[in-house]
Structures are given as C-alpha cells and as structure tokens.
Amino acid sequence: MNKIVVALLVGFSFASGLFAQSSTPILSGGMQFVGTSNAGVDFFQPVISPVLAAPIGDHWLIESRGELQGFFAREDGTTGPYQGQFFTTLDYAQVDYIANSHLTVTVGRFLTPFNIYNERYGPAWIRNLQDPAIIYTIGTRTTASSNGFMFRGVAVAHDNWEWNYTAYFSALSNIKNLQSGRAAGGRTGIFLPDKGIEIGVSYQRFLQNGEYSAQGSYFVWQTPSVPLDVRAEYAHSPSGQGYWIEAAYRLAANRRNTTGLARLQPIARVQQFYAGTPSPTAFLPSRDTNRVDFGLNYYLPHEVRLNGSYGRQFTFRGNANIWDFQITYRFLFPAWPGGSK
Amino acid sequence: MKTVIPALATVLLLSALCLRIAARPQTSAEAQRAQTASHAKAKSSQEGERRFQANCGRCHNPPDSLSPREVKAVLQHMRVRAMLSAEDERLILKYLAP
C-alpha cells in the first residue's frame, strides 16, 4: 500500500513538473439540454460532453471526448409518464504526435474524418441545428469513430491558399463503447483563408460485411466582409445519396460586434436524400426524404447559447413537423492545480 | 572668487544644455523603438485575430477569457483538430493571450 502511495506521489510530482514545463491540461466541452417535438412525439435529452486535452511538451498531445446522454420520452410515445435512461459513449481517446505543420500522427480512437460534419460540427455547442444531417452516417460507419491510426496535416501552405489532407485506417471492434468498423479512407481539401472558402472531397472504403465505397464532397464559405457562414456537404453510398446546405447570418455589421442584435443568428438548412439499396445497418432512410429547417441562435454572455428551430420533413409515408429547443453551455477550465496562472 | 562662481555657473549651464541636446535624439530614438515595438505587437495581434477568424472562427466564436497556459493547451488541441500551422499557433496565441 505504501509503495502505491509513494508511486502515486512520484507520479504526481513528475506530472506536475512535466505540465509546468509545457502547458496546463484543460477540461473543456459542452453541456446541453434539448427538448424535441417530432411529429407529436415529445422527448428530452440532457447531454454532457467533456473534452480532456493534455499536452506533453510541444509535440505530444493526449486528448479525449466522452458523452453522457439521457433520453426521456413518454411511456407510450404520446401518452403516459416520462421515462428514460442514460447512455455513455467515448467519441475519441487518442495520442497525437505533432511532427510539424505538415504531419500529425494519431493513434487510438478518433473521429472518422469524412467530409466536415463529424469532426467539426459534432459538439452541441458548435452545431447550429440540433438534429444531425440525414447523410451524416454516410462515410462514418459504424459509430462515427474509428480505432486505428491517422495521418493529417497541411501538405502545402501559402499565404493565400492551403492544401490539407487526412488519411486513416480503422480496425473492427465490438467492445462496448469502443465499437468501430474496419475501414480505410481520407479527406483532402483546399482552403483559401482570404476568401474564407474551403472545398474538399472524402472517400471511405468499408472493409467488412461486403466491401463498398462512400464518396463525399464539402464546401464552406465564411464571407470576410459580412458575418455569413455557408456550409454544404454531399455524400454518396450504395444505401443512398444526398446533400445539405446551411446558411447562418449573425445580425451584425461585422464579426467583432457581439452586442444587442449581433447576438442573434438566424439559420436555414435544406436537405435532400435519395434512397438507394436499403441496409438496416446504414442508419439511413429507406425512402427519399427532404427536409427544411429554420432556426435562431441567441448567444448569451458566459458561453451560454439558446437555440430554437422548426423543421418540416417530407417523406413518402407523410410529412412531419419537428420542433427543437436547446440551451447549451460551453465550459473550459484547467484540469491541473495552479493551471490558471 | 567673484569670477570663479559665474564661470562655474556658466560651465554647469553649458554642460546641462549639452547634455539636454545630446539626450534629446536618444529619447526620441527610444520612443521610436518603443513605438515600433508597440506597432509590431499590435500588427502581430491583428494578424493573430485574422488567423483566428480564418481557422477557428469557421466553426465557433472565441472563448470569453483564457489564461496564457490554458491557451497553449487549447491551441495544441486545435492544431490537431483544425490543422493549424506552427505560425498560426504562435500568432493566435498572441491574439488570445497578449
């Protein structure tokens, strides 16, 4: 027992010295409460999603994100008392070696890099609309996370353009909370910083249960002169193909303004999905589906955001209204004593 | 004695004037250097803000407040996530934690 205490103390001292030399590990992430009414069925989802980032020196980084999500709905769909349960997931737990600006090597569990939604707009405090895009599961099977290794970086960088890339391999895993598919793929894009434009393509080869490929492309335009963000994705797989395009406009003369009406951000998103060969494990609609969403963000001080949205879904079986209301809080604090100095 | 005191006073006055004249360009040069450094810092912060908007601002707003050591960890995290270059990291650090 004493040996364990001594070992822990030595470990603690070593870690303190290590982190003091570099930077403080941080605990960040988001908390969210979402209320949804989907075609008359009401449900609530409290979510907490902490992120740990622990740099070790200038080249190594350990980072991880988990999620604790609750789902509460009425017993019989539209009647009866509310009941529910909590689920846990581990989105990523990875070790990164930042060799230089051109290459970062990642080992462990990481977010599958297909198009931009999964990696960039997954966190609740970042995405503008609560419901993920219909085509979100294309190219990110089976769980949107991969277990294996990944290479990424900026291959070529100039003042007015950059060429970035990501390539990965994932092994099959059926371990609880660590599930992943056997797959390989990557993404590459061109970014024009002065124009705020990024355009790129993605590819995934799924290497189990009958091999198949998924392809995708994406476009991001953040206008430099006015606070307008336009994002779009297209994805194709044997189970179907589709696209989404989203625009969000901050009611301000410029991006620096954060007072009064500048805290408001109207959002609109249009989606179309064309069903292919149905597959129960693809998590895609078996019929053609169209959807339009309108939302409004209000950015309160202290990293709190309110969001309300209305969506109309058009399907072969019938149309439906989807209402969402959410409040999100983004937090960030040092994960190590004395870290805020 | 009567002549020594005015002579000493004259020498002191002249010395003071010489020192003042000599000191003037030095003060001006120091001020210029300080001004240049201040301009460079401001320019560097502006460039950091531009890079923040171009890279990080594509997905989210800047955080309310961060200490320099927290910023370092955040930037290393974002170096992997947003594929920031070492130069981006350096300039955004100056913008977020000047």
Side-chain angles (χ1 to χ4, degrees):
Chain A
M1 185 64 185
N2 285 342
K3 281 181 184 174
I4 293 170
V5 172
V6 169
L8 281 172
L9 282 172
V10 170
F12 186 82
S13 310
F14 175 72
S16 298
L18 203 64
F19 291 136
Q21 282 169 14
S22 54
S23 54
T24 311
I26 52 160
L27 200 55
S28 177
M31 291 169 77
Q32 176 192 32
F33 183 84
V34 195
T36 304
S37 176
N38 188 335
V41 178
D42 300 334
F43 51 92
F44 302 98
Q45 296 173 86
V47 182
I48 180 164
S49 180
V51 174
L52 172 74
I56 301 171
D58 291 332
H59 290 281
W60 292 91
L61 177 69
I62 299 168
E63 48 182 348
S64 176
R65 186 178 84 199
E67 193 168 280
L68 175 66
Q69 179 174 6
F71 186 88
F72 295 86
R74 288 187 184 276
E75 197 176 35
D76 302 318
T78 53
T79 58
Y82 279 94
Q83 56 179 219
Q85 54 183 317
F86 281 90
F87 307 91
T88 55
T89 50
L90 183 66
D91 297 329
Y92 58 84
Q94 61 190 67
V95 178
D96 306 308
Y97 175 68
I98 305 165
N100 51 47
S101 299
H102 306 297
L103 176 67
T104 295
V105 181
T106 295
V107 177
R109 182 168 175 82
F110 50 86
L111 296 173
T112 306
F114 186 88
N115 280 353
I116 48 174
Y117 194 93
N118 189 35
E119 277 198 321
R120 294 188 194 171
Y121 308 127
W125 62 272
I126 290 181
R127 64 180 144 183
N128 285 327
L129 294 164
Q130 164 54 28
D131 292 348
I134 297 170
I135 58 169
Y136 169 59
T137 57
I138 297 179
T140 59
R141 280 182 71 186
T142 53
T143 55
S145 297
S146 296
N147 296 340
F149 60 87
M150 171 170 65
F151 302 105
R152 61 195 289 142
V154 175
V156 181
H158 292 283
D159 284 344
N160 50 4
W161 70 277
E162 287 178 9
W163 170 31
N164 57 57
Y165 72 94
T166 306
Y168 72 97
F169 174 80
S170 172
L172 169 68
S173 168
N174 290 316
I175 302 166
K176 194 188 173 194
N177 282 336
L178 295 173
Q179 288 97 336
S180 68
R182 182 177 158 81
R187 181 187 65 211
T188 184
I190 299 287
F191 174 45
L192 313 174
D194 293 339
K195 298 189 187 311
I197 290 174
E198 185 177 359
I199 189 162
V201 292
S202 306
Y203 176 80
Q204 185 197 52
R205 183 76 182 162
F206 199 65
L207 300 166
Q208 62 181 71
N209 300 342
E211 294 187 11
Y212 73 88
S213 299
Q215 303 85 18
S217 57
Y218 63 91
F219 171 75
V220 180
W221 182 35
Q222 189 180 46
T223 55
S225 51
V226 288
L228 171 70
D229 299 333
V230 180
R231 303 159 177 173
E233 271 189 355
Y234 164 79
H236 175 275
S237 78
S239 301
Q241 60 176 322
Y243 71 88
W244 62 266
I245 179 164
E246 178 186 297
Y249 177 68
R250 212 52 193 261
L251 296 181
N254 58 61
R255 291 180 193 277
R256 288 180 190 169
N257 191 350
T258 53
T259 55
L261 280 179
R263 292 181 179 277
L264 277 172
Q265 187 180 39
I267 310 137
R269 183 173 71 183
V270 175
Q271 301 183 76
Q272 282 198 293
F273 176 76
Y274 302 98
T277 310
S279 165
T281 53
F283 301 107
L284 288 165
S286 56
R287 299 278 189 166
D288 292 359
T289 303
N290 299 327
R291 180 167 168 171
V292 60
D293 292 274
F294 300 98
L296 192 64
N297 277 332
Y298 187 76
Y299 293 87
L300 289 161
H302 308 295
E303 313 284 4
V304 177
R305 189 184 69 175
L306 301 175
N307 172 272
S309 69
Y310 164 74
R312 179 79 173 161
Q313 186 160 284
F314 307 91
T315 61
F316 176 76
R317 290 184 188 136
N319 305 333
N321 294 324
I322 298 143
W323 294 90
D324 276 318
F325 174 78
Q326 63 168 321
I327 179 166
T328 58
Y329 170 60
R330 168 199 187 184
F331 58 86
L332 194 157
F333 49 85
W336 205 255
S340 58
K341 288 175 188 170
Chain B
M1 190 64 182
K2 278 181 185 173
T3 52
V4 171
I5 292 169
L8 273 173
T10 310
V11 168
L12 280 171
L13 193 66
L14 284 172
S15 306
L17 276 171
C18 288
L19 282 170
R20 191 174 163 80
I21 290 163
R24 198 174 288 159
Q26 196 182 346
T27 311
S28 164
E30 275 173 5
Q32 205 172 357
R33 270 200 296 274
Q35 207 174 4
T36 310
S38 170
H39 280 171
K41 202 175 171 184
K43 202 177 170 186
S44 173
S45 180
Q46 273 178 2
E47 180 61 16
E49 185 182 3
R50 192 186 72 79
R51 297 208 185 195
F52 178 91
Q53 288 300 344
N55 293 283
C56 321
R58 269 185 288 168
C59 299
H60 61 82
N61 300 319
D64 274 354
S65 64
L66 286 172
S67 71
R69 291 182 70 205
E70 286 169 354
V71 172
K72 236 184 145 188
V74 169
L75 285 175
Q76 224 161 330
H77 177 59
M78 293 317 296
R79 223 184 134 175
V80 177
R81 303 269 135 213
M83 298 191 205
L84 300 178
S85 67
E87 180 74 352
D88 290 335
E89 186 184 357
R90 190 181 63 80
L91 289 164
I92 295 171
L93 179 71
K94 283 193 175 171
Y95 163 60
L96 290 175

